Amino acid sequence: MFDAASEAWTPLGATDRPVVSAGQTDAEVFVVPEEGGRARELLSRADERILLAGYTLTSQSVVETLVQAHERGVSVRVLVDGSPVGGMSGRGAAALDTLAWNGIDVRVIGGDRARYRFHFHHAKYAVVDDRALVTTEN
């Protein structure tokens, strides 16, 4: 959208948030698939919450880990893209169904509620208790 007063373009629906610093912290680096179990290990150690955001979710072992965490009282919430390139696979839909059937809050971005007309939620991260897991497989 063009704002004539400021002579600037702003993406429709964009938010302008300040950068927030958390101070010094520790970070671990690992490579997937060689150390793919490290992500599941972190998820399996959750005590209070798991906020998982992904472009897609098809891993049966991750689904099982999330269900087990939920059964031990961990608050588990999942957010995925509803329209990944090529469409949502049957395996992905089954994974989300399993989570929902087990009482886990599953949200899918897409359709009429998408923030931008051609929006893709391409994130790959999780907040596990007070830790962050940021991944990419691109």
Side-chain angles (χ1 to χ4, degrees):
M1 175 168 72
F2 184 74
D3 178 8
S6 67
E7 297 183 352
W9 285 96
T10 305
L12 184 61
T15 55
D16 186 16
R17 301 194 189 274
V19 174
V20 177
S21 176
Q24 187 174 354
T25 187
D26 294 325
E28 295 178 45
V29 178
F30 62 93
V31 178
V32 175
E34 289 82 1
E35 295 184 74
R38 291 188 56 187
R40 284 189 310 278
E41 179 185 328
L42 177 62
L43 295 172
S44 69
R45 292 193 324 250
D47 292 319
E48 297 176 20
R49 69 177 175 168
I50 298 173
L51 306 174
L52 186 136
Y55 182 56
T56 61
L57 175 58
T58 58
S59 169
Q60 184 61 35
S61 63
V62 169
V63 168
E64 290 170 5
T65 301
L66 295 173
V67 169
Q68 290 167 358
H70 176 72
E71 289 173 345
R72 349 182 260 283
V74 174
S75 172
V76 179
R77 299 175 72 190
V78 174
L79 178 67
V80 297
D81 192 306
S83 302
V85 174
M88 184 173 293
S89 69
R91 188 171 157 191
L96 300 179
D97 284 344
T98 298
L99 294 173
W101 289 332
N102 282 279
I104 293 172
D105 182 19
V106 175
R107 304 284 174 106
V108 179
I109 294 177
D112 294 338
R113 300 181 114 177
R115 183 170 191 149
Y116 300 101
R117 184 170 178 210
F118 298 105
H119 176 265
F120 292 99
H121 178 74
H122 205 71
K124 299 169 194 82
Y125 67 87
V127 175
V128 181
D129 297 334
D130 62 349
R131 300 185 73 187
L133 170 68
V134 180
T135 68
T136 184
E137 296 173 19
N138 295 345

